[in-house]
Amino acid sequence: MAKPLIMALDQGTTSTRAILFDLQGRAVAEAGRPLAQHYPADGWVEHDAVEIFDASVAVMREAVERAGCGVSDVAAIGITNQRETVVVWDRATGEPIHRAVVWQDRRTAATCERLKGQGAEPHVTEVTGLLIDPYFAGTKLVWLLDNVPGARARAAAGELLAGTIDTWLIWKLTGGQAHVTDATNASRTLLFDLRMQAWSEAMLELFDVPAQVLPEVKDCATHFGDTLPDVLGRAVPICGVAGDQQAALMGQGCIAPGQMKATYGTGCFLLVNTGAAAPVSRARLLTTVAARVNGRATYALEGAIFIAGAAIQWLCEGLGVDSPQAAEDLARQAREGHGVVMVPAFTGLGAPWWDPDARGALIGLTRDTGLAEISAAAYEASAFQTADLIEAMRSDAPDAFGAGSELRIDGGMSRSAWFAQRLADLTGQRVARASYQETTALGAALFAGLGAGLYASLEEAAAARPRTEAAEPALDPETRARRQARWRDAVGRTLSRAP
């Protein structure tokens, strides 16, 4: 093999992409396809699982062609996927019994409220690290079994298989030879015991899920199976799998306790590696598997900010700002100490506030407030929400934070050096901005390289992460504290109930 390459298959919510990386973590070629969204009812979101598989094969073939290399150069495949999206299919025919139910889907809200009303959530959180919410895969699977005619009986008879998107793709790519998932995806189902690292009999009973439909749970870096030869022209081993946020954690090199990453897209996902400890959060953060390598699980605390880049989008669509770049240009012109606070609770507030009925507000307006100050407040809202999450994480896992910890960022907003500096100033945290943004795909490739033996250790794989540009906090602590206090006062005014 002339130059070993690793294929990352990145199956996301709105697109399916394949990227070829060399062993230094450099992208060689890529290809992508958009993914159709289906909204059959209010709050329902579905994907066509067959479309996802067909697009996956197409983009992998196209990436190899664009790289100008032979398929013999592709040493392994890593898969990363939209988490919590569920597919159920016929074991014999390979046909889905229904469209995939997407992580955003809220159709099981009544089921979740019923279970919470029965007092089930504390036990669920203790075992799985999660909250009872339609977001997670377990209740989606139950809905499919209960609402597709004959599905529950067929599942009991062993005729159906189920899984998240990684499981579906591996089963199809291997011609039905492997029904598997990895520990990160399993940990997002409400059915997985975090500490036992196995499907929980108690959770299967609570949610009424037959064990025989579920896949085998494997490490993130191991052999999951070989593709059929007709996929790429020869059988290629699948050697790495991780859910998208955990793959990004790996792609940012966050393999030690206290290392954390935030991805700033429409919203923001912030994860901190807590090592071998799986803390039960008092701030209603999520405890999840960060990675499992050589049979050893490491964990992470995860918090979600509902509105990050979407606040900038609102400036453009709602207030007539020409573009995100124009919004940043305006924000740079804002008066220092302008006093304007935006709480972008357009769809409620996520962690650590957890108030779906909170609504957005602009506070601190004066006669000389203009679009510049409002634009700055929109960016600063992401920084303040990040600070809230970091504080909650420090409270939940104080041992995971050492001196000199840094926040590694990626996603669309992180392309701005100005935003990275603002983030450092308002959180008091050193911020490292990734020079290469596709850290999710890179993380999948690094896991695959490790699973294929191309890297000798987790540390060697993580060393292939992109270089970063650092921003150090430049705001004095007293000013930072005053601005954070103003932010929290503004949040308190938007909550639907007393904090």
Side-chain angles (χ1 to χ4, degrees), residues 3-6 21-26 75 446 449 454-455 460-461 464:
K3 48 175 184 177
L5 299 177
I6 307 168
F21 292 93
D22 64 19
L23 296 189
Q24 287 70 50
R26 295 182 295 239
L446 297 179
L454 300 174
Y455 301 114
E460 182 180 323

Side-chain angles (χ1 to χ4, degrees), residues 348-440:
L349 287 170
W353 306 102
W354 291 113
D355 186 351
D357 298 316
R359 287 299 175 260
L362 273 172
I363 293 175
L365 303 183
T366 61
R367 181 64 181 83
D368 58 353
T369 297
L371 272 177
E373 287 72 33
I374 294 172
S375 297
Y379 281 96
E380 290 165 359
S382 288
F384 286 129
Q385 290 177 100
T386 301
D388 288 343
L389 280 180
I390 292 173
E391 181 178 327
M393 289 174 172
R394 285 185 187 276
S395 175
D396 282 336
D399 293 340
F401 287 84
S405 64
E406 67 180 13
L407 174 64
R408 299 174 182 177
I409 65 172
D410 53 60
M413 291 179 71
S414 74
R415 291 185 172 91
S416 166
W418 176 84
F419 171 69
Q421 184 60 57
R422 209 68 181 149
L423 188 62
D425 288 344
L426 294 176
T427 61
Q429 191 76 46
R430 184 176 193 268
V431 171
R433 185 166 66 100
S435 59
Y436 178 68
Q437 295 296 311
E438 304 302 337
T439 55
T440 300

